[in-house]
Amino acid sequence: MADGSTHLAFTPQVEAETALLWEKVRAHVTPMEWRLQAPLIAEINRLKREKNAVILAHNYMTPEIFHGVGDYVGDSLGLAREAAKSDAAIIVQAGVHFMAETSKVLAPEKRVLIPDLRAGCSLASSITGADVRLIKQRYPGVPVVTYVNTTAEVKAETDICCTSANAVQVVEWAAREWGTDRVILIPDEFLARNVARQTDVKIIAWQGRCEVHERFTREDILDIRAAWPNAEILAHPECPAEVLEVSDFAGSTAAMNDYVMQRKPKQVVLITECSMADNVACDAPETEFVRPCNLCPHMKRISLENIHEALVHERYEVTVDPAVIERARLAVQRMIDLPPPAVPARYDLVKARHHVDVELI
């Protein structure tokens, strides 16, 4: 272990403090790993109390982070909401950089730390604020809906943000508010194509992609179904439309989690970043998880070690220009202020099997 974590040992006190956590993750973490992880978990949780800090842990974090030190866990929208509500002085973002920026936008008075500045996102890097300004010039009067997986600079040029959980709802709201039959939905091309199949609103899309979800193919799903014919296949809407066409369910990470916890399938496949399955499995021991593993290299830059160092040294602080914060917050807040759906958002797979063209910028 690096730096200040070298002195931490797996003592009887640490073992006692982390016993309940071990019971939750023991099917997914080896005893050898736990003897290294538990001292860090205990020390991180002590530092949080000492420094009035909270850790926001995304669904794609590994189990020892997600279950061991996360104070608030979930998808990007859920974490953003918690950032705004928290009384903590320090927020540590166990996720990627755009999430830390979103936390800063919603809680500008707090210190927001990210354990590794290299934790980026292929979607967030696929578009800039300058790109959005040019798009608005090309399509005057057409509302811009921007996926939350973007930088604060991009959000600042946006009319309203969305997540995969509420993208259809937000697109239809924007079309009504602007009195138009078309909406710009950026930057995820596949999310835009999947949303287009769920609504009568015409979609103008950008060619950004998530490097994890774009790798899944129709053939992958058919191979999984042939090998595990009783498994229920749940796909994320950042996947290509052909993947949703042959899946049993499509929805955000929060909707996937709700599906498993409520329906309790005997066997399930989550077509998304593979740490998600480990985290849900800790809470659903009666379900067998088949794991087609695509890892996000950016999410995996976050570790217990660098979370510990972030708290010890209060690094690396994420800052956003106050003028950008003010404009970006309007787009995020508009999304948050929309009434939540009565049931967890899911993509209608009957509609998903009908091809609908989008206009690619």
Side-chain angles (χ1 to χ4, degrees):
M1 297 177 195
D3 302 336
S5 61
T6 53
H7 68 283
L8 301 177
F10 187 64
T11 63
Q13 180 180 346
V14 166
E15 185 175 13
E17 285 180 14
T18 59
L20 291 178
L21 296 173
W22 168 240
E23 287 303 313
K24 174 164 278 196
V25 304
R26 64 185 304 165
H28 309 283
V29 176
T30 67
M32 181 176 67
E33 290 173 309
W34 188 250
R35 286 192 292 273
L36 297 173
Q37 293 168 353
L40 275 166
I41 289 169
E43 180 63 8
I44 288 167
N45 288 332
R46 185 194 69 78
L47 284 167
K48 289 189 302 185
R49 294 189 295 270
E50 176 186 301
K51 299 197 174 198
N52 187 22
V54 294
I55 295 175
L56 308 184
H58 190 266
N59 286 323
Y60 296 160
M61 290 292 102
T62 48
E64 71 277 4
I65 295 173
F66 188 87
H67 292 288
V69 299
D71 296 291
Y72 302 108
V73 297
D75 62 8
S76 51
L77 175 57
L79 297 184
R81 290 179 187 272
E82 295 301 338
K85 293 191 297 186
S86 173
D87 293 329
I90 296 174
I91 292 171
V92 180
Q93 192 81 46
V96 293
H97 198 273
F98 80 79
M99 297 177 186
E101 283 195 340
T102 305
S103 293
K104 187 66 176 178
V105 165
L106 289 174
E109 74 286 358
K110 301 183 189 342
R111 295 191 69 199
V112 177
L113 309 177
I114 190 161
D116 191 323
L117 287 169
R118 297 170 299 170
C121 170
S122 60
L123 270 177
S125 64
S126 73
I127 193 165
T128 67
D131 291 328
V132 183
R133 289 191 290 274
L134 288 172
I135 291 168
K136 289 159 74 174
Q137 289 177 19
R138 180 172 173 181
Y139 299 95
V142 179
V144 178
V145 175
T146 295
Y147 200 23
V148 76
N149 299 33
T150 47
T151 64
E153 176 198 31
V154 167
K155 291 181 177 73
E157 302 296 338
T158 296
D159 294 306
I160 184 170
C161 288
C162 75
T163 71
S164 57
N166 64 12
V168 175
Q169 175 193 15
V170 172
V171 161
E172 292 181 343
W173 175 88
R176 288 194 304 270
E177 288 293 307
W178 269 259
T180 180
D181 65 350
R182 60 180 184 164
V183 166
I184 299 161
L185 176 56
I186 54 177
D188 191 302
E189 176 188 346
F190 292 142
L191 178 69
R193 290 186 182 278
N194 289 323
V195 168
R197 298 183 181 204
Q198 304 290 315
T199 178
D200 292 330
V201 178
K202 297 180 180 66
I203 302 294
I204 301 166
W206 183 257
Q207 297 184 56
R209 296 179 179 183
C210 166
E211 63 190 272
V212 171
H213 293 100
E214 73 171 333
R215 295 205 298 269
F216 291 108
T217 67
R218 177 188 180 90
E219 288 69 32
D220 292 335
I221 309 308
L222 296 178
D223 288 345
I224 291 167
R225 199 175 290 287
W228 291 277
N230 296 318
E232 298 181 39
I233 300 176
L234 284 55
H236 194 282
E238 288 177 24
C239 293
E242 64 176 19
V243 169
L244 271 64
E245 290 172 7
V246 291
S247 298
D248 298 308
F249 175 89
S252 67
T253 54
M256 287 183 180
N257 181 79
D258 289 342
Y259 182 102
V260 174
M261 299 310 296
Q262 292 172 15
R263 290 177 59 92
K264 302 186 187 305
K266 290 184 178 179
Q267 198 174 54
V268 73
V269 187
L270 304 187
I271 305 299
T272 187
E273 213 275 353
C274 63
S275 288
M276 170 86 181
D278 291 332
N279 294 326
V280 180
C282 290
D283 290 321
E286 69 283 358
T287 296
E288 178 189 357
F289 287 76
V290 178
R291 291 172 170 81
C293 196
N294 281 347
L295 285 168
C296 174
H298 310 290
M299 289 283 185
K300 295 306 177 268
R301 290 191 182 279
I302 308 301
S303 66
L304 285 175
E305 287 83 359
N306 58 28
I307 290 172
H308 176 254
E309 294 304 311
L311 281 166
V312 168
H313 302 292
E314 298 188 13
R315 71 183 189 196
Y316 298 95
E317 185 168 3
V318 174
T319 59
V320 180
D321 183 280
V324 171
I325 285 178
E326 184 176 351
R327 295 168 60 217
R329 191 190 307 163
L330 175 62
V332 179
Q333 195 63 49
R334 276 178 172 163
M335 170 185 70
I336 290 174
D337 288 344
L338 289 180
V343 295
R346 61 184 294 170
Y347 286 67
D348 184 328
L349 292 183
V350 174
K351 292 181 178 179
R353 295 182 183 105
H354 292 80
H355 177 74
V356 177
D357 278 329
V358 301
E359 180 180 345
L360 277 179
I361 302 169

